[in-house]
Amino acid sequence: MKQKETQPKPRLKILEKFPYQWLALFASSIAAFLGPLEGNMIVISLPTLAREFGVSASHIVWVMIAGTLVTLSLALPIASMSDLIGRRRLFRFGFIIFSAGSILALLSSSLSTLIGARIVQGIGTGFFAATRNALAVEAFNDKKRGLAMGVILSCVGLGASTAPYLGGWLLTNFGWKAIFLAEIPISIFGAVVSFLILTPETIKKIDMSKFDILGSIIFFVFITASVFLGNRLPDFGITSPLVWFLVVLALVSALLFIRTEIRNTNPIINFGLFKNRTFLITTTSLIFQMFSFAIGINILPFFLENALGLSPAGAGAIFSVSAFALFI
């Protein structure tokens, strides 16, 4: 009975000839490729978008931040909710939302509507990013899960390294809307593949009392305050009352979140994992790595285009070199 649940049959009969684990990994790999592809194409387009809408870098960066903020805020709650609603169902739903956001971005004529479209994309990314690894983990046995995660992380690197060059080429030859047009067929393909392969879990009753609503709200406040603090600090300075309000809000919400999660029987983050020294060291180093990488990728396109005078295609080609290391 357990094996039947972990190895469901594809919805399309002809696909039953193939091992389900590899079909599930293929679907997960599409999501792993699309997420960084979308993010890095947005990053390389920021200087072009700033010129297009006539705004400063600190304002145009919200095209990137809007989607990322929503994705970060939703990823943990969605991962927790997937145990109640079904991860395969939420994974497929993510592609549909992302496709809608890409279409809205393509039709955007103002910065505000573009940011709104990016929020929709961020919601979709949050759904499939929070469930993609779990799909591979549930499909493979213990001996092959490392292989599955290696394939997924390679697809993350492939998407990250492809995006700057592809995005720069599209910007140079077709304009900024072309980057969203390029995302639509990939996201629709992911939705079709996930629909044909992944049969939603059978859930008789959804008990939302097991979902950590309070922790999710506090986590959203913490992420939002932290992102606004990082964005507003250069413009307002350390003496600004708004900056200090955001500092206090971020610290208080962080402490409340830790306290809430420790006391909750169904937390979205199990802080007991941090008692494992290997897990603690690995996670901490990864956080610092991602912080430095995030800062670098948001500054690099402006330096390459505005300071060095490169075209979007030239900037994208250089940008791809650093991202390609992730694929390796």
Side-chain angles (χ1 to χ4, degrees), residues 9-288:
K9 293 182 179 180
R11 186 187 298 270
L12 191 64
K13 290 291 184 180
I14 193 174
L15 294 177
E16 293 182 5
K17 299 178 181 179
F18 303 95
Y20 171 78
Q21 58 185 2
W22 297 109
L23 294 174
L25 180 58
F26 178 62
S28 299
S29 298
I30 297 174
F33 175 80
L34 178 59
L37 178 78
E38 172 256 346
N40 277 6
M41 283 206 297
I42 293 295
V43 168
I44 202 65
S45 72
L46 291 179
T48 301
L49 290 172
R51 294 190 294 269
E52 179 74 21
F53 293 107
V55 296
S56 65
S58 62
H59 285 84
I60 202 62
V61 76
W62 278 100
V63 176
M64 179 67 185
I65 291 177
T68 304
L69 175 62
V70 174
T71 298
L72 290 175
S73 301
L74 290 179
L76 287 174
I78 289 174
S80 178
M81 188 184 296
S82 66
D83 294 331
L84 303 175
I85 299 177
R87 61 180 62 96
R88 298 193 292 270
R89 180 180 286 106
L90 296 182
F91 178 81
R92 186 174 63 188
F93 191 49
F95 281 111
I96 297 173
I97 298 176
F98 185 91
S99 299
S102 299
I103 294 172
L104 290 174
L106 180 63
L107 299 176
S108 297
S109 57
S110 66
L111 181 58
S112 58
T113 55
L114 179 58
I115 292 176
R118 289 283 298 127
I119 290 175
V120 177
Q121 280 189 313
I123 295 173
T125 304
F127 272 92
F128 62 67
T131 53
R132 74 179 188 216
N133 292 354
L135 289 176
V137 169
E138 74 170 1
F140 284 82
N141 57 35
D142 294 340
K143 293 182 179 180
K144 291 187 177 181
R145 282 174 182 168
L147 171 63
M149 293 307 299
V151 171
I152 289 176
L153 291 176
S154 294
C155 289
V156 170
L158 184 60
S161 58
T162 302
Y165 184 81
L166 176 62
W169 181 79
L170 290 172
L171 287 166
T172 300
N173 293 281
F174 304 103
W176 65 269
K177 289 192 175 185
I179 64 175
F180 296 104
L181 180 61
E183 295 169 0
I184 295 174
I186 302 175
S187 58
I188 292 178
F189 177 68
V192 172
V193 168
S194 60
F195 179 82
L196 296 178
I197 293 176
L198 306 173
T199 304
E201 299 88 337
T202 301
I203 299 176
K204 295 180 179 180
K205 182 180 180 181
I206 299 176
D207 186 4
M208 291 304 295
S209 63
K210 295 182 179 181
F211 178 64
D212 185 11
I213 297 178
L214 179 60
S216 300
I217 294 174
I218 298 175
F219 183 72
F220 176 78
V221 173
F222 166 68
I223 291 293
T224 302
S226 300
V227 170
F228 269 90
L229 175 62
N231 182 255
R232 295 291 88 192
L233 181 59
D235 290 339
F236 287 77
I238 194 64
T239 59
S240 170
L242 175 62
V243 169
W244 279 104
F245 169 75
L246 292 173
V247 169
V248 173
L249 182 60
L251 290 175
V252 171
S253 57
L255 294 175
L256 283 176
F257 178 71
I258 295 173
R259 181 174 179 270
T260 301
E261 297 306 281
I262 291 176
R263 294 187 174 188
N264 200 311
T265 56
N266 295 288
I268 59 175
I269 293 183
N270 182 6
F271 282 98
L273 293 173
F274 291 94
K275 295 179 181 180
N276 184 306
R277 185 177 179 181
T278 302
F279 180 84
L280 175 62
I281 294 174
T282 303
T283 304
T284 303
S285 63
L286 183 61
I287 289 174
F288 281 107

